Every structure is written in structure tokens, then in C-alpha cells.
Amino acid sequence: MIAALTHVARLGRAAFVFAREGVFGVVDPALIPPAGQVPVRLARLIERRGAKSGARLSRALTRLGPAYLKLGQFLATRPDVVGVAMARDLESLQDRLPPFSQDEAEQVIAISLERPVRDLFVSLSPPVAAASIAQVHRGEIELDGVRKQVAVKVLRPNVSSRFRRDLSDFFYVAEKAELYSAEARRLRLVEVINTMSRSVAMEMDLRLEAAAASEMAENTKDDPDFRVPTVDWDRTSHNVLTMEWIDGIPLNDHARLKEANVDTVELGRKVIQSFLRHALRDGFFHADMHPGNLFLDRDGKLVAVDFGIMGRLLPKERRFLAEILLGFITRNYRRVAEVHFEAGYVPPHHSVENFAQAIRAIGEPIHNRLAEEISMAKLLTLLLEVTGLFDMRTRPELILLQKTMVVVEGVARSFDPKLDIWKVADPVVREWIQRNLGPIGKVEGALAGAGELGHTLSSLPTIVSRAVTVLNQLEVMTKDGLVLAPETIAAIGRTERGRTRGRTVALWVIAATFIGVLIALSRMI
């Protein structure tokens, strides 16, 4: 009861901030149940002057602090939850907060790395960027008499406790929503917050970000157009991450790119194809590829930074993705629909033909059109409407992939307004399919399957032995009874006192089912 009141009090403060910033003014009244329409009207009475201008939700989330700021950024990747218009608003949310002091930063570094700052760095600048979880300093180190520039990322002091408190409020809201709303259950709001919680937990351990950068560096070491900064593991810990400093041109600085005579059409191609290679070939992709996280170095390579949000795709999901993309490219909408059913994305009670018709409604308007003629917002809206119409459960990893694709397409289109994303994607997708679904891929798949079968067969004697042991124990129990020590009986009595007879019957049903499974297993063996 007390915990619920605490949640309500903190959420009440958040609601007040939302009302003051005019957030309720952008809510569609048709989406609000009748019981909630009066409170929304009352909330609009306390809007501050000027609240009707600009990005209202972004302002409110910034006022509420780091956890809400991160929630906004995360929901920008979930248009299926907040709607396309609001997701667009949240995309512009700037993760910028006032920096903490230089003394605090140096104290965190010294404690985390167990050495004085002067022994670790030749110099350490004031913060050059500050976000909700950490801030970045420019440092200089000396290795074998050679000085190198590094980026030093330092976690905010006590940030984890603040996040834990606010995340508990988010869970409270999601659980109540799923309790009373079927749509909330379809969108799996609790899983949304769970995913965000895991993402934030990983972002708050900078060793995991360093590991993500290291893994991506290994995956892309032979890529002609992409590279990752080198991690300095000797100066990296839970609270500190030290990496190579990148002197390249940020992709959001179009003036400098123009001064450097960069071929922007080629740059757009690099952005699209690099992302697709990582997603399809590696199953591991940078899920926050906005222009501020991408640089162009002196060698003309893309360099990514900030590996706090990463996406993964299992081999099966990569195959489905490749076949879906190829189906769109070749306009084989029937195959696109079949892949969705094979993957289990669409419940089997729906019609493949009807779903193929819906997919055609998405694909046809974008074929043979230039990027400047395609409304990605309308396309995404239609796609989300289709997922709801065919009862597709939310899959967080696919939503993250889908949203990243939209962001990457937007970045590429800013360099080449006439870009055709399908033509640019075609060679990467076909290369992956030929390599993995062609003759070589089928042979490798067969060998892998044979290896798994061999491992299972080698484990059969152990499985049989364990099954026989359990059956013998059950036989002894049924013949001689179960003998328990007096103190065990007393403990069980204390524990079971007051429980209902129905609970006891249920336990015996479970036990009988377990015995039946074991007997069936023994007959099968």
C-alpha cells in the first residue's frame, strides 16, 4: 500500500509537469476513455504560457530528469506504442544535461581505475559533452613515448539509484495498463519497460559498452567503408570508458562536409549498406545511428561512436529479414507474407493471402519512387496498422531494427534526396542470400545440423541413465513410502498449516503429471 502511494505521488508530480508543458494538448480526445476526458480538460487549465509552441513532450521529459529523458529516447524507437507523430517528436529529443564538476569526474576516474588521474592521463580537459548517464572529456595519454588523444567517458555519480527509482514507477504504470487494457497487453508494455531497463543497465556499465565496441570492431575489421574506435582497456572500468579520439567530420555538420568536397551521394550509400551488412552478416548492429554518432574520417571511412544501444538478430531472424527485404525488392509479396507466417510473427489463424494483400499495400507505393517522393512517416503508420490488424505481437528486437532502418534511411536521404533505398540495399541483401541460402550456405547448414545431432546423440546415454535413476527412485517411493526426519516433518507442518485442500490436490496433480511424463519417456527410449 505504501509503495503504491509512493508511486502515485511521484507519478502525480510527473503528470503536473506534463500538464504545465501542454503535453495533454496533443493527445487525441478520441483515444481517451470517457472517464479520463474530464481530468485531461482540467489538466489543460494549468498549461503555462507558451506551452503550445515547440516539442511539448520533449520539454516535459527534459524537466523530469535523466530517467524520463532516456524513456523518451527509448520510446522514439517504439512508434507502435506512442504513435508515429509522437515518435517523430521524440527523435529530436536532445540527451544534453548540465555537466557535473571536473573534480567529481576526476574523483570517479581515480576511484574506478585505482590510480591518480595524473598517472593515467597527461591531460584531461573539462567535459566536451554531457548526457543523462555520462559525460565525455578529451584526454591525452603517453604510450612508449608517443602521445595519443583519447575520449574519456565518465558515469554520472549516483545515477543508478535515480534510474532504479524512476524505472519502478514506469513498471507500476505498465503493469496497471496491462491489467485493464487488452491493447496494452498486445503491445506488451511491461516487456517494453523491461527492455528499456536492460538497455539502461547495460549503458550504466561502461565495460559492456566497451565490449560492444570491441565486438563490432572485430566484425568490421575488413569492411572497406566502416570502422570502430579502439578501446583502451587499461583505462576502462565500470564507471570509465577510454577510447580513441575521433577527429573526423560529424555527419550532422553539412557545412564542413561541403568544404571538404565530400561525395554526399556516395556517403549516403555507405550509411545504408554498412548498417545492412552489420544487421544481416553479423546479427549485431548499432541501434542509435543518428548523425551525431557518425563521423567521416580522413580515409573516407564511417566511424561510429556511442555503443550504449545495440541490436542483435539471431540467424533465423536474419534469414527472415533478408527474405522479407528481397521480397519487397522483387515485389514478391506472397513470399513476404509466407515468411511472416513461417517466423511465427503472424498467428496461424489468419490468411496468408489476406496478409500478402496488406503487404502489397505497403510495398507498391514505394516502388520506382525516389526517396524524396516517399513519406516514411505514412509508410511506418501503415505498417503499424497492419501489425495491429493481424494480431502481430510486439517483438522488441524487430521494432528496434525497423526504427533504426528508418533513422538510417533519413540520414542517407539528407545526403542524397534522390536516393532509392531498395536499389542501394539490393546488392547487400542478394550477397547475403547467395552466401547463406545458396549451395554453400545449405552445405554449411547441413554440417551444423549434423554437429548438433551428433551432440544430442552423444548425450543420450546420460539422459537414459538419469531417467532410469528417477524411475527407480519413484518406484522406491511408491513401494516403501517416503521417509522423512522428524524435524523435516515438523518444518513441513509449520509451512503447510493454513493452506487449502485445493492447493494440496493441485500439487498431487502436478506430481502425477510428472510421473506420467517420465513413464512416457522411458517407453520412448
Side-chain angles (χ1 to χ4, degrees), residues 268-428:
R269 180 198 65 78
K270 289 179 182 178
V271 172
I272 293 286
Q273 293 189 347
S274 293
F275 164 71
L276 286 174
R277 283 195 189 96
H278 304 159
L280 288 174
R281 180 192 64 197
D282 309 324
F284 188 57
F285 60 93
H286 195 302
D288 195 17
M289 289 184 68
H290 63 76
N293 282 341
L294 295 172
F295 294 79
L296 188 69
D297 70 7
R298 296 173 182 174
D299 298 325
K301 286 190 174 186
L302 286 174
V303 185
V305 298
D306 193 353
F307 299 89
I309 304 176
M310 305 296 292
R312 287 191 185 275
L313 294 174
L314 296 175
K316 185 174 74 169
E317 292 162 341
R318 285 145 60 186
R319 179 174 70 82
F320 291 142
L321 171 63
E323 291 206 62
I324 288 170
L325 287 175
L326 185 63
F328 271 113
I329 291 169
T330 59
R331 300 174 64 198
N332 187 349
Y333 303 116
R334 168 78 187 200
R335 181 55 190 154
V336 173
E338 289 172 349
V339 170
H340 277 78
F341 278 82
E342 290 170 10
Y345 298 157
V346 181
H349 63 269
H350 285 289
S351 162
V352 174
E353 290 75 15
N354 289 342
F355 189 66
Q357 179 181 350
I359 292 296
R360 180 180 290 274
I362 297 171
E364 283 300 296
I366 64 176
H367 263 286
N368 298 320
R369 297 281 185 93
L370 300 176
E372 59 188 347
E373 300 174 318
I374 299 172
S375 169
M376 294 303 292
K378 290 182 180 178
L379 181 64
L380 190 56
T381 300
L382 181 56
L383 182 61
L384 296 175
E385 287 175 356
V386 167
T387 63
L389 183 64
F390 286 87
D391 303 318
M392 291 173 64
R393 295 290 301 275
T394 296
R395 296 182 65 88
E397 73 281 3
L398 296 182
I399 290 291
L400 186 60
L401 173 76
Q402 177 192 74
K403 185 60 179 176
T404 307
M405 288 179 70
V406 173
V407 171
V408 166
E409 192 274 343
V411 174
R413 186 169 63 178
S414 70
F415 298 120
D416 178 15
K418 299 184 182 300
L419 175 140
D420 185 335
I421 187 172
W422 300 112
K423 288 183 180 178
V424 174
D426 188 33
V428 178

Side-chain angles (χ1 to χ4, degrees), residues 381-511:
T381 300
L382 181 56
L383 182 61
L384 296 175
E385 287 175 356
V386 167
T387 63
L389 183 64
F390 286 87
D391 303 318
M392 291 173 64
R393 295 290 301 275
T394 296
R395 296 182 65 88
E397 73 281 3
L398 296 182
I399 290 291
L400 186 60
L401 173 76
Q402 177 192 74
K403 185 60 179 176
T404 307
M405 288 179 70
V406 173
V407 171
V408 166
E409 192 274 343
V411 174
R413 186 169 63 178
S414 70
F415 298 120
D416 178 15
K418 299 184 182 300
L419 175 140
D420 185 335
I421 187 172
W422 300 112
K423 288 183 180 178
V424 174
D426 188 33
V428 178
V429 175
R430 287 185 187 275
E431 178 186 356
W432 189 90
I433 285 180
Q434 289 171 2
R435 175 68 183 80
N436 292 273
L437 303 183
I440 296 177
K442 289 179 179 178
V443 170
E444 290 181 348
L447 292 175
E452 292 179 6
L453 179 61
H455 177 72
T456 302
L457 290 174
S458 67
S459 302
L460 275 179
T462 303
I463 295 173
V464 172
S465 176
R466 289 176 180 173
V468 170
T469 300
V470 171
L471 289 172
N472 288 336
Q473 291 173 347
L474 287 173
E475 184 180 359
V476 171
M477 289 169 60
T478 54
K479 183 185 297 183
D480 301 331
L482 183 63
V483 180
L484 299 175
E487 58 270 21
T488 304
I489 295 173
I492 292 174
R494 288 193 300 271
T495 303
E496 293 297 322
R497 191 175 296 118
R499 299 202 179 183
T500 63
R501 181 173 298 175
R503 179 81 176 265
T504 305
V505 171
L507 288 172
W508 277 109
V509 170
I510 293 171

Side-chain angles (χ1 to χ4, degrees), residues 202-323:
M202 294 188 71
E203 282 191 77
M204 286 193 291
D205 187 341
L206 298 183
R207 294 170 300 185
L208 299 180
E209 182 176 341
S214 177
E215 181 177 350
M216 177 160 270
E218 287 186 10
N219 292 342
T220 61
K221 63 181 183 297
D222 297 324
D223 285 12
D225 300 328
F226 187 91
R227 76 178 185 89
V228 173
T230 304
V231 175
D232 183 344
W233 286 102
D234 292 334
R235 293 170 178 81
T236 293
S237 68
H238 184 287
N239 298 315
V240 181
L241 168 60
T242 304
M243 302 180 74
E244 168 193 358
W245 180 268
I246 300 301
D247 275 322
I249 305 173
L251 263 57
N252 56 9
D253 193 340
H254 286 252
R256 284 183 62 190
L257 291 169
K258 186 176 180 180
E259 289 174 6
N261 294 317
V262 173
D263 183 345
T264 53
V265 173
E266 175 67 9
L267 185 57
R269 180 198 65 78
K270 289 179 182 178
V271 172
I272 293 286
Q273 293 189 347
S274 293
F275 164 71
L276 286 174
R277 283 195 189 96
H278 304 159
L280 288 174
R281 180 192 64 197
D282 309 324
F284 188 57
F285 60 93
H286 195 302
D288 195 17
M289 289 184 68
H290 63 76
N293 282 341
L294 295 172
F295 294 79
L296 188 69
D297 70 7
R298 296 173 182 174
D299 298 325
K301 286 190 174 186
L302 286 174
V303 185
V305 298
D306 193 353
F307 299 89
I309 304 176
M310 305 296 292
R312 287 191 185 275
L313 294 174
L314 296 175
K316 185 174 74 169
E317 292 162 341
R318 285 145 60 186
R319 179 174 70 82
F320 291 142
L321 171 63
E323 291 206 62

Side-chain angles (χ1 to χ4, degrees), residues 137-187:
H137 301 251
R138 183 168 183 165
E140 189 176 34
I141 63 174
E142 186 170 339
L143 294 174
D144 301 325
V146 178
R147 293 193 175 188
K148 294 176 59 178
Q149 300 294 313
V150 292
V152 185
K153 190 172 184 178
V154 185
L155 207 65
R156 283 185 177 273
N158 304 317
V159 70
S160 58
S161 59
R162 175 77 180 270
F163 267 94
R164 280 197 299 271
R165 187 195 72 187
D166 289 339
L167 281 171
S168 68
D169 294 339
F170 301 161
F171 274 115
Y172 180 79
V173 172
E175 288 166 357
K176 295 302 179 186
E178 286 198 2
L179 183 63
Y180 297 108
S181 168
E183 181 65 9
R185 289 191 291 274
R186 187 186 77 82
L187 294 173

